[in-house]
Amino acid sequence: MSYWMQRELTIPAVRRGFHLVTRPILQAIPELAEIEVGLLHVFIQHTSASLTINENADPDVRVDFETAMNHAVPESLPYVHTLEGPDDMPAHVKASMMGSSVSVPVRDGRLNVGTWQGIYLCEHRDRASSRHLVLTLQGKRSDT
């Protein structure tokens, strides 16, 4: 039987950087265990933070992501949009580059990701507020 579910999840404010959010996402959607095959779509309702999937084991990856993004999109460029501070426009650019959503396949009640993959909240502001995610789960429920 086809199944659709949507829920919103608030992630408390975090410091600038790359933060694994796979666990709180999974905790917010226990219905995932009932899905035989499907898709989880995660969307962030903000323009200065983003989502991505990448390695979830070595914390150095998170540091290197932040370093690379700051190099690619420096705050020292002559931005016109500066009313919300020097980190705001670079945050918008980084968020557009990285994306506002991820889609993850679901199989046998679990996210069907690689062994070392996790979902990241990419916080691009120095002082951000909480972030809101929309979780949409669709798929075929197990016969059990």
Side-chain angles (χ1 to χ4, degrees), residues 26 29-41 103-115 117 137-143:
L26 292 175
I29 51 167
E31 299 87 350
L32 182 79
E34 303 170 20
I35 302 299
E36 184 178 319
V37 62
L39 191 66
L40 172 65
H41 184 263
S103 293
V104 185
V106 175
R107 184 174 65 199
D108 297 328
R110 300 179 60 169
L111 298 181
N112 191 7
V113 293
T115 303
Q117 288 183 314
L137 178 62
Q138 62 179 348
K140 179 184 178 295
R141 281 183 156 170
S142 310
D143 292 334

Side-chain angles (χ1 to χ4, degrees), residues 91-108:
H92 291 304
V93 174
K94 291 172 186 177
S96 287
M97 289 173 65
M98 298 206 67
S100 59
S101 66
V102 294
S103 293
V104 185
V106 175
R107 184 174 65 199
D108 297 328

Side-chain angles (χ1 to χ4, degrees), residues 40-46 49-53 95-96 98-104 119-120 133-134:
L40 172 65
H41 184 263
V42 184
F43 175 80
I44 189 165
Q45 295 181 314
H46 302 274
S50 56
L51 297 169
T52 194
I53 295 175
S96 287
M98 298 206 67
S100 59
S101 66
V102 294
S103 293
V104 185
I119 302 171
Y120 280 92
L133 306 180
V134 178

Side-chain angles (χ1 to χ4, degrees), residues 16-143:
R16 181 174 173 158
F18 290 71
H19 306 275
L20 282 166
V21 292
T22 311
R23 182 170 287 134
I25 288 171
L26 292 175
Q27 290 170 343
I29 51 167
E31 299 87 350
L32 182 79
E34 303 170 20
I35 302 299
E36 184 178 319
V37 62
L39 191 66
L40 172 65
H41 184 263
V42 184
F43 175 80
I44 189 165
Q45 295 181 314
H46 302 274
T47 59
S48 57
S50 56
L51 297 169
T52 194
I53 295 175
N54 215 292
E55 181 183 320
N56 66 358
D58 186 349
D60 289 346
V61 170
R62 297 169 222 176
V63 173
D64 290 343
F65 256 127
E66 180 67 16
T67 300
M69 288 306 294
N70 289 335
H71 179 75
V73 185
E75 291 182 12
S76 61
L77 292 176
Y79 297 104
V80 175
H81 174 76
T82 58
L83 291 176
E84 297 177 58
D87 67 335
D88 186 50
M89 192 59 217
H92 291 304
V93 174
K94 291 172 186 177
S96 287
M97 289 173 65
M98 298 206 67
S100 59
S101 66
V102 294
S103 293
V104 185
V106 175
R107 184 174 65 199
D108 297 328
R110 300 179 60 169
L111 298 181
N112 191 7
V113 293
T115 303
W116 306 111
Q117 288 183 314
I119 302 171
Y120 280 92
L121 166 66
C122 314
E123 180 52 67
H124 305 301
R125 295 295 311 264
D126 290 326
R127 289 176 194 83
S129 60
S130 59
R131 300 300 191 175
H132 304 283
L133 306 180
V134 178
L135 314 174
T136 304
L137 178 62
Q138 62 179 348
K140 179 184 178 295
R141 281 183 156 170
S142 310
D143 292 334

